[in-house]
Amino acid sequence: GLGPIGAYARWLDALLGALDVPSAWSVGNSFGASVACRVASDYPARCRGLVLVNGIPLPRSPRALRWLGERRLGQRLIRAVQKRVAYSPSALERAFVHSANVPVEVRSLVRSKSPPQLDAFVDILVRGGSPPPLDFHPLLLWGEDDRLPGTSARAARRLQAKWPGARLSFVSGAGHLPQVENPDAFVAALASFVAEPPPW
């Protein structure tokens, strides 16, 4: 079936259709990068170009992870790990350069014992994603001070090395949400890419 990521992509395709928008730039931050990639893969005519912001396309889940996720104890274990890594106050220290830049909604989210976003993400993690659309030449627009596992500057360089035609641009003074911490530099880099997109 479509899986959760495919369902998000289908919803975006339907939204663009309802708004009478024939095509648009597919830009995704964090987990949204997987959704942006799926839009490009499943609905290429809708996608003018692809920009990933501190997010890596979620790969197919290993068989062991799927096996674990199908069991209640395994789900609890995966959830506990993800809560600590990405949905805890300590995660904010790794995700943001300055604590004053953390949005109120994000602070509230990590203080919650059982945020619904966490349960949704665990389900997505267990069910897995799909290969990135390599026929697109994306912009990897990265807050260079992101220290979350899997989305650091090093991870961005690895992704660029594996993706022919990918362009990498770092946003200084920013972490996992560069559009929040350094919006001027973020918009300038995005506008430059949109003005002169690579062929694909």
Side-chain angles (χ1 to χ4, degrees), residues 3 14 27-28 40 54 80 88 99 104 108 117 144 146 149 168 173 176 186:
V27 182
N54 288 74
S88 66
S99 60
V104 173
S108 177
Q117 295 90 336
E144 66 179 351
D146 188 348
L168 177 59
H176 196 65
F186 175 84

Side-chain angles (χ1 to χ4, degrees), residues 114-190:
S114 185
Q117 295 90 336
L118 174 58
D119 294 325
F121 185 69
V122 167
D123 178 55
I124 289 165
L125 192 64
V126 168
R127 296 175 70 176
S130 55
L134 295 179
D135 49 341
F136 278 81
H137 297 164
L139 171 65
L140 311 179
L141 187 50
W142 232 259
E144 66 179 351
D145 294 312
D146 188 348
R147 291 177 290 117
L148 288 173
T151 56
S152 64
R154 183 178 178 185
R157 292 188 182 98
R158 283 201 304 265
L159 179 61
Q160 183 193 24
K162 293 177 181 177
W163 197 327
R167 186 184 304 174
L168 177 59
S169 179
F170 284 113
V171 178
S172 63
H176 196 65
L177 273 65
Q179 69 274 28
V180 171
E181 292 203 89
N182 193 347
D184 290 343
F186 175 84
V187 170
L190 182 59

Side-chain angles (χ1 to χ4, degrees), residues 37-161:
C37 285
R38 191 63 182 264
V39 170
S41 292
D42 291 0
Y43 309 99
R46 287 277 194 208
C47 190
R48 293 185 186 180
L50 183 59
V51 181
L52 308 187
V53 183
N54 288 74
I56 291 174
L58 192 66
R60 290 194 175 98
S61 293
R63 183 176 298 175
L65 182 62
R66 293 198 304 272
W67 181 89
L68 199 62
E70 290 167 358
R71 285 147 182 84
R72 184 175 297 179
L73 185 60
Q75 276 197 357
R76 289 174 61 186
L77 176 62
I78 296 168
R79 191 181 188 282
V81 170
Q82 286 302 313
K83 179 78 170 78
R84 180 174 182 136
V85 169
Y87 290 85
S88 66
S90 63
L92 300 184
E93 298 173 9
R94 298 187 295 273
F96 290 85
V97 175
H98 302 292
S99 60
N101 295 333
V102 181
V104 173
E105 296 82 2
V106 175
R107 286 188 191 279
S108 177
L109 175 68
V110 299
R111 288 190 187 122
S112 172
K113 288 185 178 180
S114 185
Q117 295 90 336
L118 174 58
D119 294 325
F121 185 69
V122 167
D123 178 55
I124 289 165
L125 192 64
V126 168
R127 296 175 70 176
S130 55
L134 295 179
D135 49 341
F136 278 81
H137 297 164
L139 171 65
L140 311 179
L141 187 50
W142 232 259
E144 66 179 351
D145 294 312
D146 188 348
R147 291 177 290 117
L148 288 173
T151 56
S152 64
R154 183 178 178 185
R157 292 188 182 98
R158 283 201 304 265
L159 179 61
Q160 183 193 24

Side-chain angles (χ1 to χ4, degrees), residues 10-22 46:
R10 182 170 63 182
W11 182 88
L12 286 171
D13 173 62
L15 175 63
L16 290 173
L19 295 174
D20 198 25
V21 177
R46 287 277 194 208

